[in-house]
Amino acid sequence: MYPAELVKPMREDLTNVGFEELHTAEAVEAAIAKEGTTLIVVNSVCGCAAANARPGARMSLQNTKRPDNITTVFAGVDREAVEKAREYMVPFPPSSPSMALFKNGELVHMLERHHIEGRPAELIAENLKDAYNEHC
């Protein structure tokens, strides 16, 4: 588990723009069960990938179509919530950071770490916007 003071700014990077933090398995289940579309960002302290993942997720919201619900869990912190979220992301292997778009409880788009790492935030945002335009 990472210290709260370390992850606080990384959490706020998403919550300050409206992402809802999910801390329990029940919260994840409830979010995915909501009608419409739900984005879950698996946040991470990893500087090499998460440093562009969070800005990419934020920038993706600057789109005509966007998810009905935007949520986040934090790898290495919200263990129960992350494990539950990853159950819904099968067949994709666990990775952080990662982003999953669900529509009416069904996984419709996935960005794994290898889709994020080494890519600029703008490219990550465009990938998500394309998914929003198709599914939202």
Side-chain angles (χ1 to χ4, degrees):
M1 298 293 265
Y2 297 106
E5 59 275 2
L6 173 71
V7 300
K8 185 178 187 278
M10 296 173 200
R11 286 183 182 276
E12 290 174 346
D13 211 4
L14 296 177
T15 59
N16 285 345
V17 296
F19 279 80
E20 175 190 1
E21 288 185 293
L22 307 174
H23 300 288
T24 66
E26 294 79 16
V28 171
E29 290 171 343
I32 291 175
K34 289 181 180 177
E35 193 171 315
T37 51
T38 300
L39 177 68
I40 297 183
V41 174
V42 180
N43 203 344
S44 171
V45 298
C46 171
C48 54
N52 286 335
R54 288 185 296 272
R58 286 193 323 267
M59 290 167 45
S60 76
L61 301 177
Q62 305 304 312
N63 195 49
T64 305
K65 292 184 176 182
R66 53 180 277 179
D68 299 308
N69 311 290
I70 53 174
T71 64
T72 181
V73 296
F74 209 110
V77 179
D78 303 319
R79 186 175 312 258
E80 177 187 336
V82 171
E83 287 175 8
K84 181 54 73 175
R86 287 178 172 161
E87 286 177 20
Y88 286 100
M89 296 174 190
V90 169
F92 298 95
S95 67
S96 57
S98 61
M99 302 176 197
L101 182 65
F102 296 87
K103 184 171 186 174
N104 298 322
E106 179 185 345
L107 179 63
V108 294
H109 187 75
M110 184 75 188
L111 272 175
E112 298 175 82
R113 178 189 176 97
H114 70 89
H115 297 124
I116 296 168
E117 192 170 26
R119 290 176 173 77
E122 295 81 8
L123 189 60
I124 296 163
E126 286 305 314
N127 182 299
L128 290 170
K129 287 177 183 181
D130 288 345
Y132 302 163
N133 291 336
E134 181 178 347
H135 300 289
C136 297

